[in-house]
């Protein structure tokens, strides 16, 4: 019987989460320490990790570097967790790397040690693959926390980046922002540059202290210099580096949820990015990047950018990536301004305010991976911004260990209806219990919304379409574990609709 890498990695008995670095260190030692042959951008935080990683990896690839990207969880296919220059790992390469890892993991267990966990196996497979294909640099997303996460087995990265920190996984990481920040800041090591979101004061103090003790430079995006524009279709970009002064761009500081309001006083000027003329001749001109796709326009530090990631929060994540690129450039990496702009424009990242392609006569469908209160809040802001005249039908599935009441309070005032489903995860909140919580939340807020419970994903998509109508808006959110099934259900519905006379 052929070896199934995914089945092996997902073997139930090592799916548990056990923080600590002893097992991953031993496993990688047996594998020849592949991490020592690689350079890294290491990214921790609560919200925006995946998008920041995607922006950063895209910029580096556009600059001509062979760039690995390791993220979790996957949204549509297991292979997307390990990517090189935007291409998922192949079945053959996944099998080859996993067989090497299995041999060492089984030897550990046979000799009386602990078998590595699923995430430790996955981390080792990724590092083996990235080293094997000769990546110039790897963008490495922390799985949980930072200090004891298996990705923290690496030596000092080129950049240690910490995105927005919020209360999440409090049973493991702590009950206060300061406690959680301590775990996230555990990725800071001597010899790196630290790039941090302007955190709340208690969290920012922890990050600043970690950078100070390591003797590392700390860079914080200055969101007062971020102007967020509207979503447009097919708008040509100006030449990279031109100041954005046309109508439709709003300074970030005017936004009700702007990160600058979180702690603008901590924002310090980062190294100003210097122009470079070393642009690859084969690259697509910026004016041709967008085509007719919807793009979010924004400017940062006087330069103009556009992104396919439409959420109102994405320019802030892009600004983090711009500062990471600036920090790398200061460390000797050649990253032209044009590569930064093109990398941001070319970034694709599923389930982050993703608008699905739907045929005429179908409601607009937005898929978002928001799965905690802060994520739900920025989702609500994006819906108000991009679809100001629509009341969405929310298709919701949530894990029981999340602060789902706060999540629901963020979106309930917008809702015309909720369709509840149970995510395919042992930690899932049952759809019936979710519906009852929504009724209570709407009652507390004086919100009026229809509430339905669906038996499966196809029933949920069908119910949401029926309620929304052809001109309506559907927004699916609550758990990344549901995204692939939700998207598949809507795509099946779209295919069925297109076949009708």
């Amino acid at each position: 019987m052929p070896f199934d890498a995914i089945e092996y990695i997902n073997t139930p008995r090592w799916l548990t989460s056990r923080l600590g670095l002893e097992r991953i260190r031993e496993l990688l030692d047996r594998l020849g320490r592949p991490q020592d042959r690689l350079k890294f951008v290491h990214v921790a935080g609560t919200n925006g990790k995946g998008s920041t990683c995607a922006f950063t990896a895209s910029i580096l690839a556009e600059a001509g570097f062979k760039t690995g990207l390791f993220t979790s969880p996957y949204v549509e296919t297991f292979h997307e967790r390990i990517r090189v220059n935007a291409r998922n790992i192949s079945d053959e390469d996944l099998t080859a790397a996993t067989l090497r890892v299995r041999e060492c993991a089984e030897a550990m267990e046979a000799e009386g040690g602990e078998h590595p966990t699923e995430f430790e196996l996955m981390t080792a497979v990724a590092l083996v693959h990235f080293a094997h294909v000769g990546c110039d640099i790897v963008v490495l997303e922390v799985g949980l926390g930072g200090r004891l996460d298996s990705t923290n087995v690496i030596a000092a990265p080129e950049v240690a980046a910490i995105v927005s920190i919020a209360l999440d996984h409090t049973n493991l990481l702590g009950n206060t922002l300061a406690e959680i920040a301590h775990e996230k800041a555990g990725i800071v090591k001597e010899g790196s540059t630290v790039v941090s979101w302007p955190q709340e004061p208690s969290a920012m103090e922890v990050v600043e202290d970690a950078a100070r003790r390591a003797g590392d430079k700390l860079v914080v995006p200055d969101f007062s210099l971020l102007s967020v524009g509207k979503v447009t279709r097919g708008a040509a970009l100006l030449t990279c580096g031109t100041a954005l002064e046309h109508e439709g761009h709003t300074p970030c500081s005017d936004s009700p949820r702007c990160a600058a309001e979180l702690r603008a006083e901590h924002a310090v000027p980062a190294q100003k990015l210097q122009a470079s003329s070393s642009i690859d001749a084969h690259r697509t001109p910026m004016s041709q990047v967008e085509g007719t796709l919807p793009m979010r326009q924004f400017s940062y530090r006087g330069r103009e950018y556009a992104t396919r990631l439409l959420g109102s929060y994405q320019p802030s994540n892009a600004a983090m990536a711009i500062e990471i690129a600036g920090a790398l450039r200061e460390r000797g990496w050649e990253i032209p301004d044009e590569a930064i702009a093109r990398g941001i424009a070319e970034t694709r990242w599923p389930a982050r305010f993703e608008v699905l392609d739907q045929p005429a006569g179908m409601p607009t469908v937005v898929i978002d991976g928001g799965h905690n209160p802060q994520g739900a809040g920025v989702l609500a802001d994006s819906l108000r911004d991009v679809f100001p005249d629509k009341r969405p039908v929310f298709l919701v599935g949530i894990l029981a260990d999340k602060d789902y009441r706060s999540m629901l309070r963020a979106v309930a005032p917008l809702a015309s209806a909720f369709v509840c489903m149970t995510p395919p995860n042992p930690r899932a909140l049952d759809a019936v219990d979710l519906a009852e919580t929504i009724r209570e939340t709407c009652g507390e807020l004086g919100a009026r919304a229809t509430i339905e419970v669906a038996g499966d994903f196809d029933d949920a998509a069908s119910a949401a379409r029926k309620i929304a109508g052809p001109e309506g808006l559907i927004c699916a959110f609550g758990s990344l574990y549901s995204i692939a099934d939700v998207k598949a259900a809507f795509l099946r519905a779209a295919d069925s609709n297109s076949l009708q006379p």
Side-chain angles (χ1 to χ4, degrees), residues 287-340:
S287 60
Q288 298 176 21
V289 166
E290 307 87 8
T292 59
L293 292 172
M295 303 285 286
R296 167 76 70 176
Q297 308 284 331
F298 71 97
S299 71
Y300 182 60
R301 295 188 177 275
R303 299 186 185 277
E304 183 189 57
Y305 303 95
T307 175
R308 288 186 174 95
L309 306 189
L310 304 182
S312 60
Y313 51 90
Q314 290 295 359
S316 297
N317 293 330
M320 276 289 295
I322 292 167
E323 296 292 3
I324 292 169
L328 287 169
R329 201 146 58 171
E330 200 172 69
R331 296 175 68 91
W333 296 78
E334 295 185 10
I335 306 173
D337 292 329
E338 187 74 8
I340 295 174

Side-chain angles (χ1 to χ4, degrees), residues 3 5-6 9 78-79 82 89-99 122 125 129:
F3 175 68
I6 299 173
I9 293 169
F78 185 92
H79 300 67
I82 302 173
I89 189 172
S90 67
D91 286 331
E92 295 77 13
D93 286 341
L94 178 62
T95 297
T98 305
L99 282 170
M122 199 69 227
V125 168
H129 177 66

